[in-house]
Amino acid sequence: MEIKAIDQKIKWEEFVNRVKPHTFLHSWAWGEFNERMGSQIYRLGVFDGENLLAVCLVFLVKAKRGSFLFCPHGPIFAEGVEHKEVLNLITTYLAVEAEKQHCAFIRFSPLVELKGTHQQDFLDLKYREAPIHMQHPELAWILDVTRPDDELLMNMRKTTRYCIRKAEKDGVEIVVSAKLEDLEKFWEVYAQTFDRQNFTPFSKEYLRNEFEVFAKDDRIRYFFAKYNDEIVAAAIIVFSKDSAFYHHGASVPKYSKVPAPYLLQWHVIQEARKRGCHWYNFWGIVGEDQP
C-alpha cells in the first residue's frame, strides 16, 4: 500500500459518493472551501496498486493553542477494507507532515460509532479522546426522507404536526434561493440569533465562501420563512449525494407564537426528497444525558 495525493475531482468524488454513510465534510468542495479560507489542504488516497482503498481529506489548522492537522469525518474506506492497517499508514504519513509544519498534534473526527474496534483502532495507534469538540457535531439526528408525506408526518410528535399545520394556516411563506446576494438576508436573521443566544458566529466571509463553492455544483440553498412580509427564520442547507444537511440556521423572536421554523424544516425535507436524497441530517444535537 502507498499514499498518493489525489488531484482529480472526478476520481475523488466518485469514490466518496459510493461510500456510506455520506458526509459533505469530505467532499471536494469542502477542501476547496478550506483553501479559500486560507488553510493548506491534503487530499490523500491510499492505494493498493491501482485500487483505491481509502481517501483522507486533511487540512492544516493554525491556532493560538498550537497548529494541528485535522481530518473531518474521515478517513473514508472502501467497503471491506481493513481499517487498522490503512489508518496506521495514514498516521505515519501525517506524523512526518505534522513535524514539517510544526504541529502540536493530529486530530481525527471519524464518522464512525465510538465503540468496539473503531475506537480500539485509534487507541492502539496512541490516539486519545479529544478534550474539546470543534465546530462539527459529535452527535447528529438523521431522518429517512424516502417515506411518503403521510408516514413522515405520522411519525412526528403530535405537537410537531400541529406546528407545521398552524404555520401554514398563519400564512407563513417559504422561499428558496440560490442567489449569493441573499446572504445579506440570512445575515440579518443570523445576527439576531447569535446576539440572543450568545454564541460565537461564523463570519460573513465564511458563509459567503461556503455558499459560493457549493453553489458551483448546485449543492446549496437558502431557505427563508416569511411572515407579514418579514423573514422570521432562515437556513443554509447543503446537499450531497444522498443526504441534505441543516448546516446553518437562524430565527427571530418577534413572532415567537408563529411556528415558522417547523414549516421551513418540512419544506427542506420535501426538497431533499425531490433531489433524490435518502437522509436529512439535522446536524448537531445534545445527548439525552446532557440536558
Side-chain angles (χ1 to χ4, degrees):
M1 292 191 299
E2 62 177 333
I3 292 183
K4 295 186 286 188
I6 297 178
D7 58 7
Q8 297 177 340
K9 179 179 179 179
I10 292 176
K11 188 179 188 69
W12 182 275
E13 292 283 88
E14 281 181 348
F15 182 88
V16 170
N17 285 341
R18 71 172 181 260
V19 178
K20 296 178 181 180
H22 198 69
T23 169
F24 73 92
L25 296 183
H26 240 64
S27 65
W28 185 273
W30 192 248
E32 186 179 337
F33 160 70
N34 278 280
E35 281 187 307
R36 282 199 185 196
M37 295 301 294
S39 293
Q40 180 175 339
I41 73 162
Y42 307 80
R43 291 189 183 96
L44 306 176
V46 179
F47 291 85
D48 183 1
E50 293 299 313
N51 188 24
L52 182 56
L53 305 179
V55 297
C56 186
L57 174 63
V58 179
F59 50 91
L60 175 62
V61 178
K62 294 185 176 180
K64 291 180 181 178
R65 63 183 179 274
S67 298
F68 60 98
L69 296 177
F70 178 49
C71 176
H73 282 185
I76 293 180
F77 302 89
E79 189 174 351
V81 170
E82 178 62 41
H83 289 198
K84 189 171 185 177
E85 188 177 358
V86 171
L87 186 60
N88 185 29
L89 185 65
I90 292 172
T91 299
T92 302
Y93 181 96
L94 290 179
V96 174
E97 191 61 32
E99 189 172 359
K100 290 180 186 176
Q101 298 290 354
H102 307 289
C103 291
F105 57 91
I106 302 166
R107 176 171 180 143
F108 283 88
S109 294
L111 195 62
V112 294
E113 290 185 87
L114 189 62
K115 65 178 184 180
T117 58
H118 293 145
Q119 186 177 25
Q120 195 60 46
D121 287 346
F122 281 93
L123 293 173
D124 288 346
L125 293 170
K126 308 304 180 185
Y127 287 89
R128 61 187 178 89
E129 194 168 340
I132 59 172
H133 72 272
M134 295 181 66
Q135 68 265 40
H136 311 312
E138 296 185 357
L139 186 64
W141 185 33
I142 301 173
L143 177 69
D144 181 347
V145 297
T146 59
R147 293 168 291 178
D149 281 359
D150 289 347
E151 187 177 339
L152 285 170
L153 287 166
M154 283 304 300
N155 286 333
M156 295 178 188
R157 286 182 294 188
K158 183 178 179 180
T159 52
T160 303
R161 292 196 299 272
Y162 169 80
C163 286
I164 291 172
R165 290 164 180 157
K166 184 178 187 303
E168 289 175 329
K169 290 178 182 178
D170 288 344
V172 174
E173 177 190 6
I174 305 300
V175 178
V176 184
S177 171
K179 297 178 181 178
L180 177 63
E181 57 266 30
D182 281 341
L183 171 61
E184 296 302 325
K185 296 178 182 177
F186 179 84
W187 187 262
E188 287 181 15
V189 184
Y190 188 56
Q192 293 185 57
T193 305
F194 62 72
D195 281 344
R196 183 175 74 252
Q197 298 185 355
N198 194 32
F199 65 83
T200 302
F202 293 99
S203 68
K204 191 178 287 189
E205 178 193 17
Y206 183 105
L207 298 177
R208 179 182 295 109
N209 281 329
E210 180 182 349
F211 200 92
E212 280 186 334
V213 168
F214 281 93
K216 290 192 296 183
D217 292 328
D218 192 36
R219 291 175 57 183
I220 196 166
R221 287 290 188 274
Y222 295 110
F223 282 75
F224 299 108
K226 298 178 70 176
Y227 179 72
N228 284 348
D229 249 0
E230 296 179 48
I231 296 174
V232 295
I236 297 178
I237 307 298
V238 178
F239 297 94
S240 72
K241 176 68 175 178
D242 66 354
S243 302
F245 298 85
Y246 178 52
H247 198 208
H248 305 284
S251 62
V252 298
K254 183 177 179 180
Y255 298 106
S256 58
K257 293 184 179 180
V258 178
Y262 287 85
L263 187 61
L264 185 149
Q265 292 287 358
W266 180 234
H267 276 257
V268 173
I269 289 168
Q270 292 174 318
E271 175 65 22
R273 190 166 52 197
K274 287 178 187 176
R275 285 172 171 257
C277 294
H278 192 123
W279 308 104
Y280 179 35
N281 190 316
F282 287 84
W283 216 229
I285 60 171
V286 297
E288 292 180 359
D289 60 337
Q290 298 173 299

